[in-house]
Amino acid sequence: MISQDKHSDRKPAILADPRWARIVARDKSADGLFWYTVDTTGIYCRPSCPSRGCNPRNVTIHDTLESARRTGFRPCKRCKPDGPAAEVAQAGMVTRACRLIETSETVPSLTELADALGVSPGHFHRIFKAHTGLTPRAYGAAYRTRRVREALAGETSVTEAIYDAGFNSSGRFYEASNAMLGMTPSRFRDGGAKEEIRFALGETMLGTILVASSARGVAAILLGDDPDALARDLQDRFPKAALIGADAAYEAVVASVVGFVEAPQMGLDLPLDVRGTAFQQRVWQALRDIPAGQTVSYSDVAARIGAPAATRAVAGACAANRLAIAIPCHRVVRNDGAISGYAWGVERKRKLLAREAAT
Ligand SMILES: [Zn+2]
């Protein structure tokens, strides 16, 4: 009988790669961070592939989907490695990296961060830079500067709080920072009303995003190019609420929303706080019934809610939507199919629809 230990002194190098353990564990959180090819079957998989285990000797790990594809292998039919999980996983990884940097005494080295996240340093660096516009070291420095200023800032307006936190709307740091840069906990109050709305600003493929939640759920998802303008817009939409820059606990909500914005077809698994007149609510519900990849006209929506003459009012309800993409008003187009007005910019609407049509 041949001993199974025969080759134990010639273990393949992959066994020392922390990513191999994640493949063995079918770790879903590794999806989108790397891929692997299997020589014997000629396919490539995502780390969480449910197929039966494969011999590590036949496995090659790839940092990018492109690299896995270049082998000429076929995508696995079971785990569908070409799916949209990459953006979501990468946003999640960048979030975790930001938290690690923020909570460490000194800024961790690239290798320490990559090890903690279970990916290669080069790969981690590229993803972090792509999402934040900064190297991890620069992010750490910026974060610390911000904290100092935060300590000096008292109760102030949202716009001032943004500046107090070391952001400025023209600066690369702010433009490129992503959702995970939780805002300063500086508060401002308006009218002494009791309701608290938490919010954070971030960055997506569609530009800057502001996510805000009440105790009932996500109350606003606003898109734009200028963080200051978004913060003022939020202030206008909830004039009586106390707006509170999000704390660390809010990061999971923001990461979910950003993941959803990057890949709307995956759905948003969070409660929404939808506020509007009875008519607006009917329109918005009808919009939520339009699947990604489809468009309808304003008069279609009017017909669907049983008010065929109310095309104009439907357009008004679309314009009043404060939950971008979650209430997909971008899927409503003119009767002739032309892409018309969008509260968050026609270009953004065009981009959204093109992306949804392609998936
Ligand atoms: Zn697979």
Side-chain angles (χ1 to χ4, degrees):
M1 191 174 108
I2 297 171
S3 160
Q4 289 191 324
D5 291 328
K6 195 179 171 193
H7 297 292
S8 63
D9 54 340
R10 289 193 279 132
K11 281 182 182 165
I14 194 174
L15 293 180
D17 188 324
R19 292 175 295 183
W20 172 247
R22 301 182 81 175
I23 293 171
V24 173
R26 294 174 178 150
D27 181 354
K28 263 194 166 341
S29 71
D31 287 351
L33 302 183
F34 61 90
W35 288 258
Y36 68 93
T37 47
V38 185
D39 292 341
T40 41
T41 54
I43 59 165
Y44 59 94
C45 287
R46 60 173 78 203
S48 72
C49 181
S51 302
R52 67 193 161 79
C54 44
N55 188 328
R57 283 167 211 281
N58 305 325
V59 169
T60 308
I61 291 175
H62 301 264
D63 277 345
T64 63
L65 187 54
E66 289 65 41
S67 164
R69 282 175 178 158
R70 271 198 303 271
T71 59
F73 289 6
R74 288 169 293 108
C76 169
K77 288 203 170 70
R78 288 198 66 186
C79 66
K80 300 190 172 60
D82 301 293
E87 288 296 337
V88 177
Q90 290 180 2
M93 185 179 77
V94 172
T95 307
R96 291 201 299 280
C98 289
R99 294 296 93 87
L100 277 172
I101 293 167
E102 291 161 10
T103 53
S104 303
E105 198 66 43
T106 56
V107 181
S109 73
L110 193 58
T111 314
E112 285 168 338
L113 285 167
D115 282 354
L117 298 162
V119 291
S120 72
H123 183 46
F124 167 70
H125 191 264
R126 272 194 304 280
I127 292 177
F128 193 92
K129 188 94 193 287
H131 277 249
T132 65
L134 294 172
T135 65
R137 177 160 300 281
Y139 175 84
Y143 176 77
R144 278 156 180 76
T145 308
R146 182 161 66 101
R147 288 299 299 271
V148 172
R149 296 188 189 180
E150 218 172 74
L152 300 172
E155 217 160 67
T156 177
S157 77
V158 169
T159 306
E160 280 173 277
I162 289 170
Y163 283 98
D164 287 346
F167 294 133
N168 77 71
S169 58
S170 60
R172 179 171 170 75
F173 175 64
Y174 202 87
E175 280 171 21
S177 71
N178 72 12
M180 301 70 199
L181 306 181
M183 279 284 300
T184 158
S186 299
R187 299 165 177 226
F188 87 86
R189 296 187 175 271
D190 184 311
K194 299 286 184 294
E195 184 180 31
E196 294 190 337
I197 303 253
R198 293 192 292 163
F199 75 99
L201 285 147
E203 198 63 22
T204 72
M205 290 190 290
L206 294 166
T208 305
I209 186 172
L210 184 150
V211 182
S213 293
S214 69
R216 280 180 286 173
V218 179
I221 301 173
L222 311 176
L223 303 171
D225 299 311
D226 176 6
D228 291 350
L230 288 179
R232 279 194 300 273
D233 187 19
L234 181 70
Q235 198 172 335
D236 291 344
R237 288 170 190 264
F238 298 93
K240 291 194 168 78
L243 303 187
I244 302 170
D247 45 39
Y250 195 57
E251 109 196 14
V253 172
V254 178
S256 293
V257 173
V258 169
F260 166 69
V261 167
E262 305 284 12
Q265 67 277 19
M266 294 181 77
L268 179 62
D269 193 19
L270 288 172
L272 299 182
D273 178 357
V274 182
R275 303 173 190 203
T277 64
F279 179 82
Q280 287 173 333
Q281 303 252 13
R282 273 158 65 205
V283 172
W284 294 339
Q285 187 51 54
L287 301 186
R288 293 175 74 181
D289 293 337
I290 310 167
Q294 288 183 23
T295 57
V296 300
S297 69
Y298 293 101
S299 32
D300 287 337
V301 176
R304 286 180 191 194
I305 62 166
T311 306
R312 235 171 217 291
V314 165
C318 289
N321 176 25
R322 57 172 82 85
L323 286 156
I325 305 174
I327 293 176
C329 58
H330 63 280
R331 292 180 197 143
V332 187
V333 296
R334 280 200 336 222
N335 288 348
D336 62 7
I339 295 173
S340 57
Y342 187 47
W344 295 288
V346 172
E347 254 328 293
R348 207 166 265 120
K349 180 171 181 174
R350 202 184 304 281
K351 215 163 158 183
L352 264 166
L353 290 176
R355 208 178 59 181
E356 292 184 357
T359 50

